[in-house]
Every structure is written in structure tokens, then in C-alpha cells.
Amino acid sequence: MNTHLQHQINQWLDNDPDPHTRSQLQTLIDNGNETELAARFAGRLAFGTAGLRGEVGVGPMAMNRLVIRQTTAGLGAYLLEQIDNAAERGVVIGYDGRHDSFTFAHDAASVLTAMGINVHLTYKVAATPLVAFGVKHLNAAAGIVVTASHNPPQYNGYKVYWENGAQIIPPHDTGIAAQITRAATQAIPFLALDDAISQDKLTWLQDDFYQAYRQGIHEAKELQYHSGQDKVSLAYTAMHGVGADMAETVLNDAGFTQVYSVAAQREPDGDFPTVNFPNPEEKGAMDLVIAEAKKHNATLACANDPDADRFAVAARTENGDYQMLTGDQVGVLFGHYLLSHAPKNQQLTGTTIVSSSLLSKIATEFGSQSYTTLTGFKWLMNVGIAKHQADNQFLFAYEEALGYTIGNLVWDKDGLSALVAFAQLTAELADNGQTIWDKLEQIYRQHGFHLNKQVSIALNADTPNIGAYLREHPPVKIGEYAVVSTDDLKSLQRTAADGSKQAIDLPSSDVLIYALEGGARVIVRPSGTEPKIKCYYEVVETMTTSDTWASAQTRAEDAMATFVTSHQTSLPS
């Protein structure tokens, strides 16, 4: 074993507070597994705008107690440097139901309080939206939630909110990362929680905090449709996460009493025993809640992911089956519903570049403004906060990956308020003799049948840099569609078919967006390090008076299949 690796290992053993991971490391040493040791000490789990996320294990490349303590020391140092009264305002900390989350959250609290920073720590598991709510509610300097959201059981994560209640964006991510690197070379301060309490540095967030969030949902002006609840029944699953208690409570508060929870998935369980992958988008993940819905002939089958920041739904069809709605379909239903009730000074909506363009068309229908950001709620919310004005208040934002924010109770995606809003939306439709599917068809007849698809394309290993190739050989046509304009988010320029150029007001990103005739669109995200690209396609088919939903969908799916094939064959091999 080389001297540098030996030094890293010895240093880790000296500082690791967890006997379990120290034992794992010692076993690797005793077995002479130098390859595995080198991999575990090959670098450091990168801290970025999503914080940390990785498999739980030993060494700086994994999630473990020492990494959590070092990360928290770095975050604390950055807060003290950046925010004058950070120590007094403090940090809100919450955690999900994964096996290590309790310990990681308590370790983070001990480090921050040892640094003189007040901590508000949830007394039990908390949905991620509650932590984002807590930063605003308590006027904290930051928030931490220990969660790996919908990742498999072996993962955990560490998500950070800034003082505005939204996820961190540059330059805070790199600033915190630099402080973490520094902290990893130093002794980490640590204060036992009992001592932190006696020194008035730690406050437990008890039930009154959870009730404040509950009351916030109940009083939210966007969630005040209180009719037709008796016409809506729903099955619900927390997917072995932390959402059930609050989800059932806020639904009941809103008058929805026909709620049937999936008992086998109701309680937090870090093993996620009934799902292969606890993500509502994954095949099979919604099977139990759909079975529960069928059992009760419920209107809806609803799910939160394990930290309850995402919302998924399947709706009953005419023949009694249940069909999943896509994130885009839920997003446009929300957009139309909320805009139809919103006052004129609260009609600001937003979505991301890879989500359907339909929301912007609905916003135009209502004479309101819709903004578009890079992918991720960190961008959706920080831009929403910046654009939020007295005469143009934020109403709603979504991304296609099942994330929705309604109103400004929480400046992040919130699967619990979305659950209430969707039940109310469904109730209003039922009052008017309509279903979810009727409303979607009505929207499609007005604006066109929008179909979206995401495809990852692996290219040959010797293919030239795909981003560079596409910029050097800009297409004038993709499939049967002429290119109307190209947005290059790397150079932040939009180039029209006639060669005219326009600046783009977004952060720089290696993304190309092709707007095509007929409303079609391709978004290409090249990889700079491997021959692979991720493509997002959209086709729009006009619905004629003779069209049914089925005929329009079939035509759109055929157009999409041809479109995707044409685009893939146009790429260099």
C-alpha cells in the first residue's frame, strides 16, 4: 500500500466516530483489499447545489458520520462568514426515515451548536417541505434535511436551504465546498445535545411546528376550494416514507374523508420492503396504491415519494382502470386550475426547459407571465423569488419529474400541498360533471395534444464530442420539422433560421434547444466526458373536431416515434 493511502486511512481511523464504519474499514485493511481501499479514498463525495447524496459506507467517497460532521463544519463556517447574524438566527434541521438519518441529523446539530450556531431540530422525522417551510417560518439562516428522497435504500443525502428558504445555488455551493475541504483537515467541534440544550443552543421543534405547517396549508389562499369533496375518494401511499401522518391530516382538514392509505407502505421503513425502487415514476412502484384504489373504486390513486416532496397520481378511467398522469399533465392541470382562480396580481408561473411548453401557452391564455429556468427546483424557486413582486406574485411552478410548488408557503417542491390541491381540482371538476381526463382533453383541444418523451442515447466510444459536433454542424431540419430557432445555453444565444441572434437570460449550461415548426422541440444535453446525450422531445398535434383523445394520442405517438428515430439517425455515429 502506498504511503499516501496509508496516511489517509490512518487519519480516517483516528477521526471516525462510528465504530461500525471503523470496523468495515479495518476488515478491508485486514483482507488486504487495496483496490477497494483506493476507491473509497480516491477523492471526496462532491458537494453541489443538491448538497450531498451517495451510498452509505466508509471513507470520504460515501455518506457516513465523519463526512456529515465535516460537511456541517464547512457549512457552519460558510454561514458565519456570509451572514452577519447566522449564529443567532440558526439552522433548521430535519430528517427522513432512512436508517442513518436520525444519527446524521443529530451529529449535524452537535457540530453547529459547538460552533456557537443555534439549531432548531425536529423531534421526529419530517417531510422535506417542512424543513423548507421552517427556514422561512423561523427566519433561520439556513436549513438542512437529511434525506436521499426516492433513491434506493443504500443511499442517503444532505440537502441545504439558504436563508431565503430555497435550495442553494452558485456561488454558495462552491463556497460551502471550499469550507468543507478546509474542515476535513481540522478537528471537528462537537457538543453533546444535552449540553447544547443546557447552553440554549438547541431547540426541539415539537408538534406545534408541524401544526404551523399544517395550518399554513389549511389557510393557503390557493387551496380554498371547499365543495365537492364528497364526490372524490382517493387511495394514498407514503411509499415507506414520512408523508402519511401529514398527508392524511391535511386532506381531512380540506374535507376529504374518503382516504384509504396503503397499510403496508404507510410507516417509515428504510428498507423499502415492498418496492424495488421507492420512486413513483418507476415501474411497479404504484402497484399497491392502484390496487387499493381498485378495492374502493376510488377516484384517484395518489403517492408521495419517501420524503414527500414529490407527488404522483393515477386517475380512474371510464372502464374502471387507473392510468398514471405524467408530471407534465399534472403540471398543466394545476396551471389551468390555479390561474382560473388566481387574482390578477398573483399569476406568475414557472417551469423548466425540459418540461412541456404547454404551461406557457396556458399562461398566455390567461394574460399572465410564465418563466422558464434550467432543470431543478433550485432554479425554479430562486428565479420565482426574484420575480415575485406585489403586482406579480408567485402562484405556481413545476417540473416534469413530479415536482410542484403551489403558492409561497414553501420555496421548494411540496408533495403534500400538491396532494391537497389535486384533490380540490378533482372536486371542482366533479362538481361540474367532469373528470380529470375530460379537462385534459379540453386543454388539448384548445392548445394541441402535447406529447413529451425523454431518451438517453449512448453513442460510439470514438464519436467526436457531441456538443461540439452539433454546434459546428447546426441542423436546419430534424426529421420532417424545419428548425425555427436554436438556443445554445453554453453561449447564451438564440439563433433564428434567418441568422439573427438574441441574448438568453439563463445561467450558462451545456444544453441545446431546437424549436421546430408545428410546435415540436428537441432539447439536447450532451456529455462532455463520454459519448452520451440525453434528449427531451416534444410534439404537438392539433386536435380536429373529428378527433377523439385516442386518435390524437395515436397520431402524436406515431409522430414521436418517427421524430425520435429521425433525430437519432441524424447524429454522428
Side-chain angles (χ1 to χ4, degrees), residues 12 62 141 148 276 324 380 423 440 489:
W12 189 270
N276 293 328
M324 285 287 294
L380 274 174
L440 269 175
L489 301 192

Side-chain angles (χ1 to χ4, degrees), residues 214-230:
R214 170 191 178 184
Q215 194 66 21
I217 288 183
H218 188 58
E219 295 176 354
K221 56 186 175 181
E222 302 84 9
L223 303 175
Q224 293 306 310
Y225 190 85
H226 295 305
S227 180
Q229 296 98 323
D230 59 326

Side-chain angles (χ1 to χ4, degrees), residues 280-490:
E281 291 181 293
E282 293 292 324
K283 185 176 174 59
M286 295 281 287
D287 285 356
L288 288 186
V289 73
I290 288 174
E292 189 75 18
K294 285 181 178 177
K295 178 179 169 184
H296 300 280
N297 194 33
T299 319
L300 305 172
C302 302
N304 289 133
D305 67 340
D307 67 330
D309 64 348
R310 286 177 170 84
F311 166 72
V313 60
R316 191 178 62 214
T317 61
E318 278 188 358
N319 62 11
D321 289 331
Y322 290 82
Q323 182 176 327
M324 285 287 294
L325 281 84
T326 68
D328 282 315
Q329 288 174 329
V330 174
V332 300
L333 283 166
F334 272 145
H336 197 282
Y337 169 73
L338 293 165
L339 283 167
S340 70
H341 290 283
K344 283 296 182 185
N345 67 343
Q346 191 197 7
Q347 296 197 342
L348 178 64
T349 59
T351 190
T352 68
I353 57 172
V354 300
S355 302
S356 174
S357 63
L358 184 47
L359 179 63
S360 65
K361 296 164 188 172
I362 291 170
T364 300
E365 174 192 343
F366 283 91
S368 62
Q369 177 189 352
S370 184
Y371 64 90
T372 305
T373 70
L374 298 181
T375 305
F377 259 80
K378 59 183 177 287
W379 297 115
L380 274 174
M381 294 295 93
N382 279 283
V383 172
I385 290 168
K387 289 182 176 292
H388 179 75
Q389 305 292 335
D391 61 347
N392 188 30
Q393 295 174 36
F394 176 84
L395 176 65
F396 167 69
Y398 92 95
E399 64 178 359
E400 90 296 345
L402 310 185
Y404 315 94
T405 297
I406 295 163
N408 62 4
L409 180 70
V410 172
W411 285 119
D412 195 13
K413 54 186 177 289
D414 182 351
L416 296 165
S417 58
L419 173 65
V420 173
F422 202 84
Q424 291 177 331
L425 178 163
T426 307
E428 181 182 69
L429 290 172
D431 265 352
N432 295 323
Q434 287 186 299
T435 68
I436 291 296
W437 306 112
D438 294 332
K439 188 62 181 180
L440 269 175
E441 182 173 337
Q442 182 182 324
I443 292 170
Y444 287 154
R445 285 192 182 279
Q446 183 171 357
H447 298 287
F449 193 104
H450 287 60
L451 184 65
N452 295 76
K453 185 180 182 69
Q454 176 186 331
V455 180
S456 288
I457 304 172
L459 304 170
N460 293 330
D462 57 353
T463 299
N465 180 289
I466 192 67
Y469 176 88
L470 290 172
R471 289 178 174 93
E472 290 167 7
H473 305 87
V476 295
K477 197 173 185 181
I478 299 177
E480 297 301 313
Y481 304 103
V483 175
V484 175
S485 65
T486 302
D487 289 2
D488 187 343
L489 301 192
K490 198 169 187 179

